Amino acid sequence: MNELEKLNALRDELREHNYNYYILDAPVISDFEFDFKLKELQALEAKFPEYADPNSPSVRVGGAITKNFETVKHTMRMYSLDNSYSKDELLEWEQRVHKNLGNTAVTYTCELKYDGASISLSYENGRFVKAVTRGDGFQGDDVTANVRTIRSVPLQLKGDYPAKFDIRGEIVLPFEGFEKMNAIRISQGEEPYMNPRNTASGSLKLQDSALVAERPLECLLYSVVGNDLGISSQIEMLDKAREWGFKVPSIAAHCKNTDEVLSFIERWDVERSKLPYETDGVVIKVNNLQQQEELGYTAKSPRWALAYKFKTEQAATILEKITYQVGRTGAITPVANLRPVLLAGTLVKRASLHNADQIAKLDVREGDTVFVEKGGEIIPKIVGVDFSKRDPNSLVTEYISHCPECNTLLVRKEGEAQHFCPNDSGCPPQITGRIQHFISRKALDIEGLGSETVELLFKENLIANYADLYNLTKEQLIPLERMADKSADNLLKGVQESLKIPFERVLFGLGIRYVGETVAKKLAKAYKNIEALMNTNLEDLMRVDEIGERIANSVVDFFSQELNKDIIRRLQAYGVQLALTQDQLEGQTDKLKGKTFVVSGVFQNISRNELKKAIEDNGGKLSSSISSKTSFVVAGENMGPSKKIKAEKLGIPLISEQEFLEMI
Ligand code: AMP
Ligand code: ZN
């Protein structure tokens, strides 16, 4: 097999494994083997850029950036569904169907109503070409690049599919992945996401598809639309879509009459709690497509379908007080403190109110009787107010204007839902939050020191920032409550051990807003030591791969503050690692300092990745696109023609592999 055949064979093989894993839930190889093969494919694709394919299994890792989501008209309108909440409403609908169709037999398909973000996918000749959000039903946003990264969206179909069609479904975020994402956010001091549905639809509008690829989204399909599909019923449509490689839940059932429909509803109202993703009802559809056509549509929705909404368990209770929490980054979260009430088996005392807009939208006030519901989120939410029980003298909730912890005037940035306390150096929960982040496992990993001890040390005026940790003495610790001799020793030992933690983790630990683990690594590599980073500017930062304006601004802002500079000087004096070690610097030079490179094409003596590494190791910066800031384009064989034209237009020198190697 030559390398090109190998490339194609790998694509086919990976597609099949993807299908086994994400559609059938029955993987036949280990994740490790899969990753290995994927890397092999990526290497071959880098070598043969002329065989690039937007639908290759390698695109699942993302990378494409969408700056503006284009508005696209749906080929066929995406309708909404009429809702019903009771058996009676369901029976009324059935009667209307019969009345409209005359005296013919009608059967139904029942499916679950998946609670996510609606999507329409377009396929041509078996290849995925486009994904558009529902929008207003007539037109939506083109989110193709992001949807490509969702593993259960087939990029290449199987079997006997129509040449051209759209398929509709719902992009959902299963509970498990949602909770994992939130655990990470909480550990980084950020606000947890509200619920899986909002997070799923928010994900579709992220600019960086690599971030979408990291989210465990799934796409569940339920409706094929197009001309001459050769399909005569809804249930057949589901079977066909499944055969073509789509993820179509097998829960759907063909019901002969309303009794069967009702027992489907009863059964799934209970069993849905075992499903990995959220559902909020059953969608009942007239099974025969001919009959569907006869029934047609109202202005908003099909007459041939009805959503039966499950009743979510609700409880009514009194909202005693609204309090406000301050996070590590200064973000304010309003909390509803409730008169304890039993809901779905647990005693609920608190519910999140999210932000000022949410409070205004619900018009919720202290003393109100409110309805609490447990949805996909971890924390219960308030869904409404029982206005009939409202005290006529109650006052509209006025959102706090000052920080409840330090009394600083709160700010709210353009476009953000959350209020912030800007007093990051003097606001107690922000101070302790930052220290807690500094000592956390992925940062300085200081064993023997927990969150509560940090609060205690702060309260006792022993620490006011993370540099103070390195000043602690045993004499100071021993008199503290619950601090045994041994724990004091452990704490001090943990602090000493943290001097071994490498620069990139220290940089992460500093808690600069938006500088997570990955960004910290990039910055450590690009700047090599803290002085260089402290002395840099916005422009220079933005030349670093993957550092955008938002991060760059935050870094510059952090290092411009005297207090931070002072803390860093102290960390340096205590021996905390604030530069890459000799080992890490091995083979690194400054030869390409200040120069930005774009790499394009295939190379003879060095792989693309080696070339990129050589650029970074020698102090150069990598960029993925050519702009006026590019110093050189290292051009290999088969360089993309558009890149060539752009480089020529901007007068940026093209250099060969040989010329590059001579530079270093
Ligand atoms: P609504 O947004 O409440 O009007 O409900 C209509 C939406 O339900 C549709 O636009 C679909 O996105 C969604 N939906 C979820 N599951 C299904 C399903 N099995 N069949 C049809 N629509 C569904
Ligand atoms: Zn404050």
Side-chain angles (χ1 to χ4, degrees), residues 326 330 332 402-408 410 421-424 426-430:
V326 188
I332 308 290
H402 290 75
C403 177
E405 302 278 349
C406 73
N407 211 27
T408 305
L410 299 180
C421 166
N423 179 20
D424 43 5
C427 183
Q430 295 191 59

Side-chain angles (χ1 to χ4, degrees), residues 174-190:
F175 293 122
E176 196 189 329
F178 174 72
E179 271 151 33
K180 259 190 214 149
M181 280 171 63
N182 264 349
I184 294 173
R185 276 183 80 84
I186 291 167
S187 79
Q188 298 185 340
E190 289 179 275

